[in-house]
Amino acid sequence: MRLRMTVRTALLMVAVFGLGGIATHAADPPQVPYPSGWRSWTHMKTMAITSDQHPLFAAFGGIHHIYVNSVGLKAAKSGGPYPDGSVLVFDLLEWTESGGAYTEGARKLIGVMHKDSKKYKATGGWGFEGFKAGDPKERLVTDPVNQCYNCHSAQKEKDFVFSQYRQ
Ligand code: HEC
């Protein structure tokens, strides 16, 4: 009787912890670190989407500036490939228009791409994350493949990056 209880307990533990382990692995892609200090990095380019004539208006409407850290700067100028440690930031801001002048407003989010070819192998070597209003505690990405990577795959030839450094 005592033995049977022990075996049952052991089986129960395997079931609980075993499944727990698998579930955690499937649900949690490796976390992308917050890009501290990104506001002082090199500005690559700027673009604005200010009307729903553009298909990305709902997700990315606003004025956005793109930044690259020092590790990725050379690749940003040549169009990739990017070495591990490269980080790109997409800074999306609200806007107002008045009398033909477009003015930046509050930060909507920052999008981050962090290159680590081993850690983020499943998504082209890039970790994708979004931070609401640029707040390190407000992560936005739960499914990097469907929310980010699939669209960036269109740029596979340019190491999954759309933007190039503007002289
Ligand atoms: C439907 C397509 C699409 C999706 C989905 C998408 N992006 Fe992008 N992303 C773009 C385009 C297009 C640009 C270039 C914008 C420009 O020209 O300024 C871009 C630019 C970027 C950049 C600057 C580097 C580059 O490739 O130009 C980062 C960083 C970025 N996106 C992160 C993300 C993250 C994080 C997600 C998921 C939350 C995401 N993107 C989802 C289309 C997409």
Side-chain angles (χ1 to χ4, degrees):
M1 184 66 187
R2 231 172 113 202
L3 183 69
R4 263 174 61 198
M5 284 300 286
T6 312
V7 171
R8 262 175 67 188
T9 311
L11 282 174
L12 196 72
M13 282 175 73
V14 167
V16 170
F17 291 107
L19 285 177
I22 291 163
T24 309
H25 182 72
D28 293 335
Q31 212 176 52
V32 176
Y34 186 81
S36 302
W38 64 270
R39 189 63 183 80
S40 335
W41 294 353
T42 302
H43 172 247
M44 278 171 73
K45 59 169 271 200
T46 291
M47 187 194 165
I49 300 176
T50 57
S51 134
D52 59 10
Q53 284 170 15
H54 194 281
L56 294 180
F57 180 72
F60 300 119
I63 298 172
H64 65 251
H65 308 288
I66 292 171
Y67 295 86
V68 60
N69 69 353
S70 57
V71 180
L73 184 57
K74 202 169 157 224
K77 290 182 174 174
S78 66
Y82 286 78
D84 280 0
S86 299
V87 184
L88 297 161
V89 170
F90 178 108
D91 182 22
L92 182 65
L93 306 163
E94 297 278 7
W95 82 102
T96 50
E97 191 272 333
S98 172
Y102 288 79
T103 306
E104 295 171 341
R107 175 163 294 123
K108 292 172 92 173
L109 58 87
I110 63 166
V112 178
M113 288 171 68
H114 187 121
K115 186 78 184 266
D116 184 325
S117 40
K118 283 204 193 85
K119 196 170 163 193
Y120 308 113
K121 204 172 170 204
T123 44
W126 289 100
F128 290 86
E129 184 58 279
F131 295 92
K132 193 178 167 191
D135 183 342
K137 293 186 290 291
E138 298 258 17
R139 290 178 180 265
L140 293 170
V141 174
T142 48
D143 179 357
V145 172
N146 288 307
Q147 285 174 279
C148 317
Y149 172 71
N150 284 348
C151 185
H152 275 256
S153 290
Q155 289 299 105
K156 197 168 178 204
E157 248 91 279
K158 293 260 163 98
D159 202 3
F160 303 94
V161 174
F162 285 95
S163 304
Q164 195 159 344
Y165 180 90
R166 165 184 48 73
Q167 292 299 325

